[in-house]
Amino acid sequence: MNAPVSSADSLRAALAGLLDGLPPKAASQAVERLIANYRGRTPTDAPVLRDRSDVVAYAAYRMPATFEAVCSALEAFAETVPAWVPDSHVDIGGGTGAATWAVNAVWAGERPVTVLDWAEPALALGREIAARNPELKGAEWRRSRIGAALTVESTDLVTVSYVLGELTETDRAAVVDAAAGAARSVVIVEPGTPGGHARVIEARDRLVRAGFRIAAPCPHSAACPIVPGEDWCHFSARVSRSSLHRQVKGGSLAYEDEKFSYVAAVRGPEAAPAPSRVVRRPQIRKGQVLLDLCETEPSLLRRTTVTKRHGPLYRAARDADWGDAWPPAGERHPE
């Protein structure tokens, strides 16, 4: 479920040169602090991104991975609403704008876009980067406190990516409620950790209570079958690293895998959720494929085995990826 290469390349081109003139020590220190912030940090009432050094480090360190994770979530959502294209988009806590690039990658074209964030340096850099994309040049970058005082104008789509972990419980609830009150569709993405999953489930429950139906990844809007504390639902997006990305992150591989949790919910467009979803990496063995599925009726997690005797379904299972809908269109799930 990777984003179109051209979109990813365009973003990397826009990010190129950001570290020019920034002392390596300053970039390294900012990255180290950001890593601590995004791994089990405690909520804060101050912006995480304080100045341009922080924002440049953030863009280089996090933006490519955030872009790919949000693209993956949006692509899974788009599959459930194939005839729908958002007419407008509001990105809450959008920072430097990774989610705006992701929405544009999945649904190309110009539309009214508003990015809300309380860190002015992030908004400034996001505006600067977006100027490289003709379809994002008209986006509005607005400073706004992300919490109980948040107001969101009516829109087709609201995204909230990698934001809820920065907020107190009260502010998290307020942000989700503000999104639900303004949007026809809401997509929330968090890190693929137990804590990130817990925040997604918390938001999912609020959206369902607000009258939304779950479009992805869940094949249903019933309670999540995962027992809290025993497991968590998350997926993986492959991130191609540029030389800039490797420099900032201190890695040598040409790629990395970004783990994320997400929920996409709809009030307006008619959605057709997947019959079931592959929630673990498929295990391919001799003559068979083991698939861990979240299923619809009843709401449960189940491992199923697809063997050669299932013919085309077996071939499809060998090609299936973590996070894919199952079974493929036109095929029946084996009993």
Side-chain angles (χ1 to χ4, degrees):
M1 296 193 297
N2 286 337
V5 173
S6 59
S7 297
D9 287 346
S10 177
L11 178 58
R12 282 195 290 270
L15 289 170
L18 281 180
L19 292 181
D20 289 348
L22 182 65
K25 184 177 181 181
S28 178
Q29 289 174 341
V31 167
E32 288 176 3
R33 189 173 67 81
L34 287 166
I35 291 173
N37 284 338
Y38 284 98
R39 290 180 181 170
R41 65 182 310 279
T42 55
T44 182
D45 57 1
V48 174
L49 304 176
R50 302 172 302 187
D51 54 30
R52 185 175 174 85
S53 294
D54 275 2
V55 175
V56 167
Y58 170 82
Y61 167 62
R62 283 298 310 163
M63 206 171 170
T66 300
F67 169 80
E68 293 291 357
V70 177
C71 271
S72 291
L74 292 174
E75 286 170 354
F77 172 42
E79 289 175 2
T80 74
V81 286
W84 181 75
V85 176
D87 289 333
S88 55
H89 170 217
V90 173
D91 188 21
I92 296 176
T96 54
T100 66
W101 284 80
V103 169
N104 181 252
V106 175
W107 295 287
E110 293 186 64
R111 61 181 56 85
V113 176
T114 302
V115 182
L116 304 176
D117 201 277
W118 60 357
E120 183 58 41
L123 293 169
L125 190 68
R127 188 183 299 112
E128 178 184 328
I129 297 170
R132 299 286 297 271
N133 185 335
E135 294 182 349
L136 293 178
K137 284 184 176 180
E140 180 181 358
W141 302 77
R142 186 187 306 168
R143 191 172 188 184
S144 176
R145 188 173 180 85
I146 309 302
L150 178 68
T151 58
V152 182
E153 298 174 358
S154 179
T155 185
D156 261 5
L157 171 66
V158 164
T159 54
V160 189
S161 57
Y162 294 85
V163 172
L164 299 183
E166 300 176 14
L167 306 176
T168 64
E169 182 177 354
T170 299
D171 282 347
R172 287 200 301 270
V175 166
V176 174
D177 289 347
R184 299 176 66 205
S185 304
V186 178
V187 177
I188 294 173
V189 182
E190 282 287 296
T193 62
H197 165 72
R199 292 188 292 272
V200 166
I201 292 301
E202 179 184 85
R204 179 188 187 276
D205 291 345
R206 295 191 77 85
L207 291 170
V208 170
R209 288 197 296 270
F212 282 74
R213 292 172 294 113
I214 304 304
C218 321
H220 56 80
S221 298
C224 176
I226 294 177
V227 178
E230 293 186 5
D231 202 354
W232 70 98
C233 181
H234 64 292
F235 302 93
S236 180
R238 179 59 54 90
V239 183
S240 296
R241 285 174 163 176
S242 65
S243 58
L244 171 67
H245 202 190
R246 292 196 296 272
Q247 173 189 343
V248 174
K249 299 199 73 170
S252 58
L253 293 177
Y255 67 88
E256 66 180 14
D257 291 322
E258 171 71 7
K259 305 297 194 304
F260 66 97
S261 295
Y262 78 98
V263 63
V266 294
R267 188 193 295 278
E270 291 296 324
S276 61
R277 179 82 57 184
V278 181
V279 293
R280 290 288 183 274
R281 198 177 303 280
Q283 299 182 38
I284 300 177
R285 299 178 179 174
K286 186 175 181 179
Q288 61 182 13
V289 181
L290 306 183
L291 299 177
D292 290 303
L293 303 173
C294 180
E295 299 194 320
T296 306
E297 295 293 345
S299 170
L300 54 77
L301 297 174
R302 182 169 73 95
R303 172 168 287 185
T304 189
T305 302
V306 184
T307 66
K308 284 185 175 181
R309 67 182 177 86
H310 293 116
L313 201 61
Y314 169 71
R315 292 189 290 275
R318 289 184 60 87
D319 292 335
D321 200 1
W322 184 7
D324 284 354
W326 184 262
E331 298 286 348
R332 291 190 60 186
H333 187 63
E335 300 297 334

